[in-house]
């Protein structure tokens, strides 16, 4: 694997603090010095000095957002592949690194400018207008930088909300701006109809986006790489809507960074497009490049949701991400319905898999549990490789063209109460695997 600059998504975590401090920036234009005593400034000098203070803010903002780089092309490791040459489920990740020195420098610049605006007695309306104009000229590269600039603009000019609220967004409204103007804990209610994204929807704060139903509200994107990027330091929730990628360029539908959690309820995700080598194209990709151990809390919760027609997988978990997937369906995803990679884990229960190449795949040291689910069609029902330890309990597998279950590498785990029907092979095992098999109807066959 190549260098992982994508790990820098952590910069967004410190951004919320900076934005809060910046919110009162324009409020500094009071015309009073310390202790509320007016600060006399020659009228002929005030406009120039006010303009200089605004310019300093704009320059500091430009320097700050430059650090949020463009989309990085690094990729996550591949899952076990059901056929020779089939490639990884992976996606490019955003380069959004920052140092504490950069954060401190930006904070200091804002504090100095705010003090100057108050000292010079700068008029509020004129200062806000000049600041808005200056910030519009700030250039960004990549979706993260654009989202950071939109949120900074909202907080520094006073157009953003200060307390969690609910905002209704119509199909003709700017969803990206609405997201930037709302603080953590807020809810966006998407009106019925199709909401089209012309840029990546970057979620820097933990908010809820709710539609009026999967057949009624559609969030549609043809943007490459990913439609939605969640890098909030907390839980982002999506409910009652369809998330659909319609472009021809490679893209996953939702990418979730290392610090974020995602809750998806009664929704549908489709249309992820894989690269020519099979990478990219997941419905949800939980990205975590540096985790060496499984998390202690669930970072992905999915209930009553449909994943269909994605170019690689319905759901991919990397690093130490832990999923709870219940009552959901996975249909015709090109590599696997759910792929557990690295040290990921969690559970899939009461779900249905139909015509995915592999229903559930586990590799590296992944340790998922699949309970009470049904897998129909495709090539392989469940596949385990490397040193993974999946537990499969009360699962029905039928119609798999290659095998109901394949255990390869040094995979272990347990297979309990599994039934196999209309399959070429039941459980195919490699020479070094050691799963515990009990109360299952799947005939065991050695690989070869």
């Amino acid at each position: 694997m190549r260098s992982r600059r994508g790990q820098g998504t952590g910069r967004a975590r410190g951004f919320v603090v900076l934005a809060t401090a910046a919110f009162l920036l324009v409020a500094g234009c009071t015309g009073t010095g310390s202790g509320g005593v007016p600060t006399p400034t020659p009228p002929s000098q005030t406009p120039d000095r006010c303009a200089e203070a605004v310019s300093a803010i704009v320059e500091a903002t430009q320097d700050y957002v430059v650090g949020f780089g463009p989309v990085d092309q690094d990729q996550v490791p591949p899952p076990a592949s059901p056929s020779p040459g089939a490639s990884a489920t992976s996606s490019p990740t955003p380069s959004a690194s920052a140092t504490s020195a950069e954060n401190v420098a930006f904070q200091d610049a804002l504090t100095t400018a705010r003090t100057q605006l108050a000292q010079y007695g700068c008029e509020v309306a004129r200062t806000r207008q000049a600041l808005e104009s200056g910030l519009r000229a700030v250039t960004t590269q990549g979706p993260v930088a654009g989202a950071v600039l939109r949120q900074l603009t909202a907080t520094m000019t006073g157009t953003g909300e200060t307390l969690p609220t609910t905002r209704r967004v119509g199909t003709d409204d700017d969803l990206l701006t609405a997201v930037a103007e709302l603080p953590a804990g807020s809810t966006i209610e998407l009106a019925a109809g199709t909401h089209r994204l012309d840029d990546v929807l970057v979620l820097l704060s933990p908010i809820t986006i709710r539609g009026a139903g999967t057949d009624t509200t559609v969030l549609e994107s043809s943007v490459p790489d990913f439609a939605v990027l969640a890098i909030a330091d907390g839980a982002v929730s999506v409910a009652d809507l369809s998330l659909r990628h319609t472009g021809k360029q490679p893209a996953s539908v939702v990418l979730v960074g290392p610090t974020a959690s995602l809750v998806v309820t009664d929704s549908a995700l489709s249309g992820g497009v894989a690269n020519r080598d099979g990478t990219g194209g997941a419905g949800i990709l939980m990205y975590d490049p540096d985790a060496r151990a499984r998390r202690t809390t669930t970072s992905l919760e999915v209930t009553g949701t449909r994943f269909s027609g994605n170019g690689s997988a319905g759901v991919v978990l990397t690093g130490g991400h832990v999923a709870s997937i219940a009552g959901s369906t996975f249909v015709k995803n090109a590599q696997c319905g759910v792929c557990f990679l690295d040290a990921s884990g969690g559970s899939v229960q009461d779900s249905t898999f139909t015509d995915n190449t592999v229903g559930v795949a586990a590799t590296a040291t992944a340790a998922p549990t699949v309970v009470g689910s049904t897998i129909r069609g495709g090539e392989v029902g469940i596949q385990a490789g490397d040193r993974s330890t999946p537990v499969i309990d009360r699962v029905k597998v039928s119609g798999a063209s290659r095998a109901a279950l394949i255990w390869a590498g040094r995979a272990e785990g347990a297979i309990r109460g599994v039934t196999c029907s209309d399959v070429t092979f039941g459980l195919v095992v490699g020479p070094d695997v050691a799963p515990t098999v009990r109360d299952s109807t799947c005939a065991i066959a050695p690989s070869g």
Side-chain angles (χ1 to χ4, degrees):
M1 185 182 354
R2 294 173 290 170
S3 62
R4 292 164 168 170
R5 288 177 291 161
Q7 65 186 313
T9 49
R11 178 169 185 175
R13 289 181 290 173
F15 172 71
V16 176
V17 176
L18 290 173
T20 303
F23 181 80
L24 299 177
L25 193 59
V26 172
C29 311
T30 59
T32 61
S34 60
V37 179
T39 303
T41 305
S44 62
Q45 295 182 21
T46 299
D48 289 341
R49 292 191 175 185
C50 291
E52 289 172 2
V54 170
S55 294
I57 297 168
V58 173
E59 290 174 8
T61 302
Q62 178 68 79
D63 291 342
Y64 185 64
V65 300
V66 162
F68 293 84
V71 171
D72 191 281
Q73 298 302 313
D74 290 352
Q75 298 174 344
V76 299
S81 186
S83 59
S87 301
T89 298
S90 59
S91 179
T93 56
S95 176
S97 60
T99 65
S100 58
E102 287 175 315
N103 288 337
V104 169
F106 184 51
Q107 181 76 74
D108 288 347
L110 296 183
T111 301
T112 299
R114 184 177 184 275
T115 300
Q116 291 173 339
L117 290 172
Q119 179 181 353
Y120 302 150
C122 302
E123 198 269 323
V124 174
R126 182 177 298 176
T127 299
R128 180 179 287 111
Q129 183 178 15
L131 185 57
E132 290 173 348
S133 177
L135 291 174
R136 282 195 294 270
V138 172
T139 58
T140 61
Q141 188 176 12
V144 176
V148 169
L149 177 60
R150 283 189 292 272
Q151 196 172 69
L152 278 174
T153 298
T155 54
M156 289 195 290
T157 61
T159 59
E161 300 286 347
T162 58
L163 297 175
T165 187
T166 297
R167 179 179 296 186
R168 186 171 176 80
V169 175
T171 56
D172 294 329
D173 296 330
D174 187 342
L175 177 58
L176 272 63
T177 297
V179 166
E181 292 176 348
L182 297 179
S186 295
T187 297
I188 287 181
E189 294 183 346
L190 295 179
T194 300
H195 301 251
R196 291 183 173 84
L197 296 172
D198 57 8
D199 199 355
V200 177
L201 176 61
V202 180
L203 304 176
L204 296 171
S205 301
I207 64 172
T208 295
I209 299 178
R210 180 180 296 117
T214 56
D215 296 330
T216 305
T217 303
V218 178
L219 187 57
E220 186 177 275
S221 172
S222 60
V223 180
D225 298 319
F226 25 79
V228 178
L229 171 61
I231 50 176
D233 190 8
V236 171
S237 297
V238 174
D240 302 315
L241 57 84
S242 289
L243 276 167
R244 187 164 65 202
H245 184 266
T246 59
K248 295 182 179 180
Q249 298 184 68
S252 289
V253 183
V254 179
L255 174 66
V256 182
T259 65
S261 298
L262 177 65
V263 179
V264 182
T265 307
D266 297 331
S267 294
L269 292 91
S270 63
V273 178
N275 287 294
R276 291 182 180 179
D277 62 359
T279 60
I284 295 175
L285 170 58
M286 303 295 293
Y287 181 69
D288 188 0
D290 295 317
R292 292 184 173 89
R294 200 159 292 113
R295 296 167 185 257
T296 58
T297 58
T298 300
S299 49
L300 173 65
E301 296 182 25
V302 177
T303 307
T305 294
R306 177 183 174 90
F307 298 83
S308 62
N310 293 291
S312 60
V315 174
V316 178
L317 294 108
T318 72
H321 279 297
V322 175
S324 174
I325 300 172
S328 295
T329 59
F330 299 81
V331 180
K332 294 184 177 179
N333 298 288
Q335 287 190 32
C336 46
V338 182
C339 295
F340 289 89
L341 314 184
D342 302 329
S344 63
S347 65
V348 179
Q349 56 185 326
D350 302 325
S351 294
T352 301
F353 298 78
T354 304
D355 295 333
N356 305 278
T357 301
V358 176
V360 178
T363 188
T365 60
T369 299
V370 184
V371 181
S373 296
T374 300
I375 302 175
R376 304 187 187 97
E379 294 186 14
V380 180
I382 297 173
Q383 182 164 329
D386 296 328
R387 294 182 179 273
S388 61
T389 56
V391 173
I392 315 302
D393 190 2
R394 291 173 285 115
V395 172
K396 297 179 180 180
V397 183
S398 63
S401 63
R402 291 185 60 209
L405 305 97
I406 295 178
W407 249 243
R410 295 183 178 274
E412 297 184 4
I415 300 170
R416 300 191 294 255
V418 176
T419 61
C420 297
S421 61
D422 189 25
V423 297
T424 304
F425 297 101
L427 170 59
V428 177
V429 296
D432 299 316
V433 303
T436 300
V437 183
R438 189 178 66 197
D439 300 328
S440 296
T441 67
C442 306
I444 300 176
S447 63

